[in-house]
Amino acid sequence: MPFFSTTRSRLRRAELLSGVPLSKEMRKRIHAVTLQLSRAPCLAVFLVGDRADSIRYVNHKKRAAAECGIEMRVVRLPSTVRQIELHKALAAVNGDVSVDGVILQLPLPPHLRARPALYHIHPGKDVDGLHPLNAGNLFLQDQSPLLHVITSNNSNGWEGAGASSSPSSSSALPCTDMAGPDHLADGLTDEVLLLPTASGGYNALHRRTHERKFFVPCTALAIRSILFSYLSRTESLSHLMRAVHEDDPAKPPSSPSLSSTPALAESHITNSSSKESKTKPQAAAVGREKPRDLHAVIVNKSMVVGVPTAALLHRAGGFVVTSCSRSNSLESVRCLARQADVLITAYGQASVFDASCVKPGAIIIDAAINELPQPPTTSHSTPAASPVRWVLCGDVDVASVSSVAAAVTKTPGGVGPLTVSHLMMNVLKAYRLRHANHIYYNNIYTEFLKMYGTYDKVRDYAPSAALVVRAPSAGSAATQTALSDREKLVKCPANDEDDLDDEDADNGSYEV
């Protein structure tokens, strides 16, 4: 029996999951809070070169920032910028107290290295969640898995379980030490999930966890939001806590799989010489319902999608996670995809997964964005006369998998809009962290640069442990200190970016 068996007919039609309604709700709630803050949160986006897709993504962020009441500054650098110049530019904006969040638009030109550049983004402003300090925090376990909290709220009723439907209601927000209207930012950023209600609205799950103190990559947050939004309103959530193993008890026992329950795995260990021992354990399994983990297969191993998504699912509880990538053969990836109760893909090839690669009743979340040329629509135009138009699509052939899967996301309009909305939420979180403590993470940031040997090259630009204002006056003590420190620096050679270790040239880890 398929794990997500339903009463649908054999000609099932998968539910098409859109991230747009949830994204709009998030932006509305963010805007309701930013209107009441002492100042608008500010995001600085570094754009290197003039890649068309990067410019398009930056424009998406700009529109979302305007909807959320967030100021956005675009810092454009030429495609010929040197590595050390990029480091200095990033370190300089870290010391600007009027900037709350900083992101570096990826990918970079081939001569630049992403990882050492990301080291120079202050971890308290790293709203993309790619600094090693934020990435490492992903693996901290919470006291109660997220899945248990959601099921508890569903059984106890949302109104009494820390949920709220209005971001501006002070009674719905947890207590905070922030003064004045800025406490609203504290409350909103404690909302881990927005879950749909039967009436068509959304209830916020408030939960103070480790996650409120660091940043998670936004694509991973979007995947979690769209997955749990679907699970919370279907029978699938109850399957997570209490599900019957999908193997038919009438079939001969096979080797226990990762998704088998311990009790059912025991039933495979029988005495072959005894007929009674062959039948009794299986007969007992027929009426026994035990919880089992949901098998999630993630076709991506980058620090942007695969790794953080796997970490979030592990922390949520109720998932066994398998990750693979292009380093595996396509056939082996497809074979693994057929075993997935939840298939999350960012493989990067259009229509690479069809119905033959999908388990019946699976949930498919397509986080890839691919471009395909669109053929001319009129018979009068010739290919030479008509400019090539490009359409966006994902990794999944939606028309094909809809006859097999329980649900599949749209591309575009699925994970993408939610990713940008979660970025805006991270900017609001950065505002909260910096508002409460302007030197938040400064010591860790500078010590981290010292550990990697780049601090001396950017120390005039990086924030110190004391509060840094934009630019000290010409005769101030701060200027004199900076001058004296500058005199101690060893002049960097023209090819100073070549002294980085080979392990820092890992741009592939930051590509979707």
Side-chain angles (χ1 to χ4, degrees):
M1 181 176 68
F3 184 72
F4 290 109
S5 63
T6 65
T7 57
R8 296 180 185 179
S9 66
R10 191 170 184 82
L11 297 175
R12 84 159 72 227
R13 187 69 182 174
E15 180 178 346
L16 200 57
L17 302 178
S18 172
V20 174
L22 185 55
S23 174
K24 289 182 176 179
E25 177 67 17
M26 286 183 65
R27 296 181 190 186
K28 182 177 72 174
R29 297 168 82 90
I30 295 171
H31 190 231
V33 170
T34 57
L35 285 175
Q36 303 179 60
L37 299 179
S38 55
R39 66 169 177 84
C42 180
L43 170 66
V45 179
F46 281 78
L47 178 60
V48 182
D50 54 0
R51 280 181 58 117
D53 56 345
S54 293
I55 293 173
R56 182 172 67 247
Y57 297 146
V58 169
N59 288 335
H60 288 330
K61 295 178 177 72
K62 191 179 296 184
R63 287 194 291 269
E67 290 179 34
C68 295
I70 291 174
E71 178 189 355
M72 178 170 153
R73 306 174 188 173
V74 180
V75 182
R76 302 201 64 157
L77 299 173
S79 59
T80 56
V81 66
R82 294 164 58 213
Q83 187 84 37
I84 190 62
E85 292 170 343
L86 176 58
H87 294 177
K88 290 178 179 179
L90 290 169
V93 77
N94 289 332
D96 189 341
V97 295
S98 67
V99 174
D100 301 295
V102 179
I103 65 172
L104 176 62
Q105 186 66 44
L106 301 174
L108 297 174
H111 72 284
L112 295 175
R113 298 169 182 175
R115 182 178 292 175
L118 293 170
Y119 291 166
H120 291 79
I121 296 179
H122 194 292
K125 298 187 178 187
D126 171 39
V127 290
D128 259 347
L130 298 178
H131 189 280
L133 186 65
N134 288 313
N137 276 325
L138 262 174
F139 298 93
L140 292 174
Q141 296 295 317
D142 296 316
Q143 185 174 3
S144 299
L146 179 60
L147 179 64
H148 294 176
V149 176
I150 294 175
T151 53
S152 174
N153 285 342
N154 280 354
S155 61
N156 296 335
W158 281 98
E159 295 305 322
S164 68
S165 57
S166 172
S168 58
S169 173
S170 58
S171 61
L173 300 173
C175 296
T176 174
D177 295 330
M178 296 181 72
D182 289 324
H183 80 280
L184 295 173
D186 200 16
L188 188 61
T189 54
D190 280 340
E191 294 182 358
V192 179
L193 288 173
L194 286 178
L195 300 177
T197 63
S199 60
Y202 291 92
N203 274 328
L205 176 64
H206 286 287
R207 188 174 181 231
R208 289 206 165 193
T209 66
H210 298 297
E211 199 173 304
R212 70 188 305 270
K213 299 177 182 177
F214 63 91
F215 299 100
V216 179
C218 304
T219 305
L221 290 173
I223 291 170
R224 183 180 68 177
S225 290
I226 205 167
L227 173 60
F228 278 94
S229 175
Y230 173 76
L231 290 175
S232 68
R233 58 183 172 79
T234 64
E235 64 180 15
S236 307
L237 186 64
S238 61
H239 277 288
L240 278 174
M241 302 304 295
R242 195 165 187 82
V244 180
H245 188 255
E246 63 185 328
D247 290 345
D248 188 346
K251 294 180 181 179
S254 58
S255 300
S257 64
L258 283 176
S259 57
S260 301
T261 64
L264 289 173
E266 269 184 35
S267 70
H268 292 295
I269 306 173
T270 61
N271 184 353
S272 59
S273 63
S274 170
K275 182 178 181 181
E276 183 180 1
S277 64
K278 290 180 181 179
T279 57
K280 279 191 175 181
Q282 292 181 8
V286 173
R288 182 192 301 131
E289 291 189 0
K290 295 288 185 181
R292 82 167 176 91
D293 289 343
L294 196 63
H295 187 195
V297 173
I298 303 175
V299 189
N300 185 278
K301 294 172 73 175
S302 74
M303 297 299 295
V304 179
V305 180
V307 172
T309 302
L312 288 179
L313 293 184
H314 277 303
R315 290 174 55 205
F319 291 90
V320 171
V321 182
T322 304
S323 299
C324 59
S325 66
R326 280 180 173 269
S327 60
N328 306 97
S329 68
L330 180 57
E331 183 52 41
S332 63
V333 171
R334 285 173 168 166
C335 181
L336 192 58
R338 295 185 194 107
Q339 305 173 32
D341 299 314
V342 177
L343 176 60
I344 300 168
T345 175
Y347 186 80
Q349 182 175 328
S351 301
V352 72
F353 297 109
D354 56 19
S356 66
C357 309
V358 176
K359 182 179 182 179
I363 303 170
I364 305 174
I365 299 180
D366 192 346
I369 299 179
N370 307 303
E371 291 185 336
L372 285 180
Q374 186 179 34
T377 55
T378 60
S379 57
H380 301 289
S381 60
T382 62
S386 302
V388 177
R389 295 186 59 190
W390 297 85
V391 294
L392 299 180
C393 63
D395 290 341
V396 178
D397 184 342
V398 176
S400 175
V401 304
S402 291
S403 61
V404 180
V408 59
T409 57
K410 301 168 60 177
T411 302
V415 174
L418 268 176
T419 299
V420 181
S421 295
H422 275 289
L423 174 64
M424 299 301 120
M425 185 67 79
N426 274 355
V427 175
L428 189 61
K429 182 193 289 188
Y431 173 93
R432 173 179 63 81
L433 294 175
R434 302 295 293 182
H435 183 91
N437 183 0
H438 285 293
I439 60 173
Y440 185 71
Y441 277 159
N442 279 4
N443 286 334
I444 295 177
Y445 170 66
T446 54
E447 292 302 319
F448 190 89
L449 294 184
K450 289 176 183 178
M451 180 174 69
Y452 280 90
T454 62
Y455 177 67
D456 284 344
K457 298 177 183 179
V458 299
R459 64 190 303 175
D460 291 345
Y461 306 89
S464 64
L467 178 62
V468 178
V469 191
R470 288 197 179 202
S473 59
S476 66
T479 304
Q480 297 301 321
T481 303
L483 289 174
S484 61
D485 287 341
R486 191 179 296 115
E487 292 171 356
K488 300 175 185 177
L489 295 180
V490 178
K491 185 176 180 180
C492 299
N495 60 342
D496 48 8
E497 57 266 24
D498 294 335
D499 62 355
L500 295 169
D501 295 335
D502 288 339
E503 64 183 13
D504 292 328
D506 188 18
N507 288 357
S509 295
Y510 302 98
E511 295 177 359
V512 176

